[in-house]
Amino acid sequence: MNVAVTCRLTATLGVLALACGAAAAVPGPSPRGQALAELQQAIHRAGIGPATWHVDTVAAQPGGHVQTVEVIGNVNDARHALDQRFPGQTRVIRGHVTSDLVWRHGHDYVLEGALQALEQPGFQVFETGADESGRTTVGVVGDLTAARTYLDAHYPGRTTVHGNTPR
């Protein structure tokens, strides 16, 4: 009698463990809208500055929960770092050589990383880039005057601020 109860209990626990494991394997809801933008920006920021790699692009298939991250440099280092910071949310692949040339010429990625990490109450940086004059373009949402004032004071002559659409 005890053996039958023990076997039934073991079988029940096994089924329960399988069900829990299957439920854990189902990915969560796909980030959308602002949550997706914030996730992709966080992934970009994580790839600015490492010595052996940097993020080239971040994208996801519509409805997908995993972000495809193209990196320039050591893919294994990038994969390890991104898996630790964003477990189950990234798929790292090698970027294109032409992107590496763009990365090396024209962009101040240290400045861009600092700008993307800014947390100001009046505005939020949504993109950075480089213009023909060598300045870093800074796209912001919120108070453009406050953004220009802050960036001119902290990074004089290095930035050009614009809203949702470039000037």
Side-chain angles (χ1 to χ4, degrees), residues 5-165:
V5 171
T6 302
C7 289
R8 178 170 278 169
L9 180 59
T10 303
T12 303
L13 290 175
V15 169
L16 184 59
L18 274 173
C20 289
V26 175
S30 299
R32 297 177 189 267
Q34 187 64 32
L36 177 60
E38 288 171 2
L39 172 62
Q40 290 181 341
Q41 187 175 34
I43 293 169
H44 265 289
R45 279 195 304 262
I48 295 175
T52 62
W53 61 276
H54 69 271
V55 171
D56 185 27
T57 63
V58 179
Q61 295 295 322
H65 70 282
V66 175
Q67 305 299 307
T68 300
V69 183
E70 285 189 2
V71 298
I72 303 299
N74 189 316
V75 175
N76 291 329
D77 287 354
R79 187 172 290 123
H80 177 72
L82 293 173
D83 283 347
Q84 283 187 331
R85 183 141 181 218
F86 308 99
Q89 295 179 297
T90 60
R91 179 176 71 95
V92 177
I93 61 173
R94 184 167 307 286
H96 302 289
V97 174
T98 55
S99 298
D100 196 23
L101 296 174
V102 171
W103 180 73
R104 288 185 179 150
H105 304 289
H107 286 265
D108 183 346
Y109 278 98
V110 173
L111 175 59
E112 288 186 46
L115 294 171
Q116 290 178 6
L118 278 179
E119 292 186 20
Q120 293 295 311
F123 65 92
Q124 178 182 3
V125 174
F126 71 89
E127 72 175 359
T128 58
D131 68 12
E132 307 80 39
S133 70
R135 297 178 103 184
T136 297
T137 59
V138 185
V140 298
V141 175
D143 187 345
L144 288 175
T145 303
R148 286 185 179 115
T149 301
Y150 178 88
L151 294 175
D152 285 345
H154 289 85
Y155 307 100
R158 296 177 66 191
T159 62
T160 303
V161 177
H162 64 84
N164 286 333
T165 56

